[in-house]
Amino acid sequence: MLLAYVGLGVVCARWLALEARPIATLLIYLIAPLTAFRGLTLGGPTLGYLMLTLGTFVAASLVAMLANRLAQRWFAPQEAAVLAFSAGTGNTGYFGLPVAMVLLPAEGVTIYLFCMLGVTLYEFTVGFYLSARGRFSVRQSLVKIARLPLIYAFVAALLASGVGLSVPAGVMDGLAVFPATYTLLGMMVIGMTLGRVTIREVDGRFIAACVALRYGLWPLLAGLAVLGLQATLGIDEQLALALLLVGVVPMAANVVVVAMELNIRPEKGAIAVLITTLMAPLLIPLYLWLLMRIAGLA
């Protein structure tokens, strides 16, 4: 269905002449914060779960900052910014969550959700800053981050949980529509961007770098993280599988959403996202089988 949503976006761009920029803004400033608030509230954050969020946030941020340093040597500023953002994130939500719901029991899905929240928090803090620096000054980039409501939604959910404040059932029922909306519009933005791409804008070097980071570096890091945690903390199978899944999902649709909002070459991100998404049905089962065998989970 995700590829069908992309196709729907292409139709909207080519035949209805709809612009992707307003939808990207809507996703960043309204739908993503409400989706994150709902997910964090429903998950019932504990110190252990929040440590998972912190761990994936730190890992994503470190990978992105390293990729940013390297990309600046080989790519133009805006392309390097898109590549750096993509290096720290993956399609843990639109693509990874449905897979997690198939592979993991309810408790394992909750573990995966808190890992996913760390990646989402990276996208709208460190990742957004690195992307903005491809076009704006340090001060302008920091101001843009300060205006992002997802940070405040995250804090509000933690405060509500910390003081034992329960969100009314009617409000939670109303928020239930946002995760599906987030997925639909996020993938449509990719299609709407692709609908305006010409063959001259296909950059093989940029695509190769994106694929290498997403399907080369991240599976390796996830496998090493699981082996290290098994040797030191003795993590259980559910957490190990959740971490492996974070490492093997395709590129995040939010690469295009953020690039569209900041106007930093979204078309290049859209092509790379589409290619890694098309590769996912073949590579994800292969990677999971191989990594689970190495980690002793199969």
Side-chain angles (χ1 to χ4, degrees):
M1 281 303 297
L2 295 182
L3 293 178
Y5 297 155
V6 173
L8 188 60
V10 172
V11 170
C12 289
R14 290 191 174 180
W15 282 279
L16 301 179
L18 295 181
E19 294 290 337
R21 177 73 181 275
I23 298 177
T25 302
L26 184 67
L27 281 164
I28 290 173
Y29 290 98
L30 180 65
I31 297 175
L34 292 175
T35 301
F37 177 84
R38 177 181 180 272
L40 193 56
T41 302
L42 286 177
T46 64
L47 180 59
Y49 286 155
L50 292 177
M51 289 302 294
L52 295 176
T53 300
L54 178 62
T56 51
F57 168 78
V58 171
S61 299
L62 290 175
V63 170
M65 288 188 287
L66 176 60
N68 185 53
R69 292 289 296 273
L70 295 174
Q72 288 176 346
R73 301 179 181 179
W74 305 102
F75 295 95
Q78 293 188 11
E79 295 170 347
V82 176
L83 183 59
F85 179 89
S86 72
T89 187
N91 202 337
T92 53
Y94 313 144
F95 200 103
L97 185 56
V99 177
M101 294 176 70
V102 172
L103 297 179
L104 294 166
E107 182 181 352
V109 173
T110 300
I111 290 172
Y112 177 83
L113 279 171
F114 278 91
C115 293
M116 183 186 80
L117 283 171
V119 176
T120 303
L121 187 61
Y122 151 79
E123 290 178 345
F124 292 98
T125 52
V126 176
F128 198 93
Y129 173 79
L130 293 175
S131 298
R133 288 291 290 122
R135 185 180 176 195
F136 302 99
S137 68
V138 171
R139 182 180 180 278
Q140 290 172 321
S141 300
L142 291 174
V143 168
K144 287 183 175 295
I145 291 177
R147 292 175 178 171
L148 292 176
L150 186 136
I151 301 172
Y152 306 110
F154 193 90
V155 173
L158 290 181
L159 289 175
S161 176
V163 300
L165 179 65
S166 60
V167 181
V171 174
M172 296 303 293
D173 289 342
L175 293 176
V177 302
F178 284 96
T181 305
Y182 188 45
T183 301
L184 171 63
L185 294 183
M187 299 308 290
M188 283 186 64
V189 165
I190 296 175
M192 295 170 74
T193 306
L194 288 171
R196 303 180 185 279
V197 170
T198 63
I199 191 66
R200 290 176 298 177
E201 292 170 312
V202 177
D203 185 340
R205 192 166 62 109
F206 180 85
I207 293 170
C210 290
V211 172
L213 285 167
R214 188 62 249 172
Y215 284 138
L217 179 61
W218 269 101
L220 176 62
L221 291 177
L224 291 175
V226 167
L227 290 175
L229 290 171
Q230 285 177 328
T232 56
L233 300 178
I235 61 172
D236 62 23
E237 182 176 340
Q238 293 182 30
L239 175 54
L241 187 52
L243 291 174
L244 292 178
L245 185 55
V246 169
V248 301
V249 293
M251 281 177 64
N254 281 343
V255 171
V256 185
V257 173
V258 171
M260 179 65 67
E261 173 64 19
L262 296 173
N263 195 24
I264 51 168
R265 308 305 299 269
E267 71 284 350
K268 291 204 171 187
I271 295 169
V273 170
L274 179 63
I275 289 174
T276 60
T277 302
L278 290 172
M279 295 168 68
L282 174 64
L283 290 183
I284 287 181
L286 177 62
Y287 271 133
L288 285 179
W289 175 79
L290 178 60
L291 291 171
M292 287 174 67
R293 287 183 63 87
I294 293 174
L297 302 177

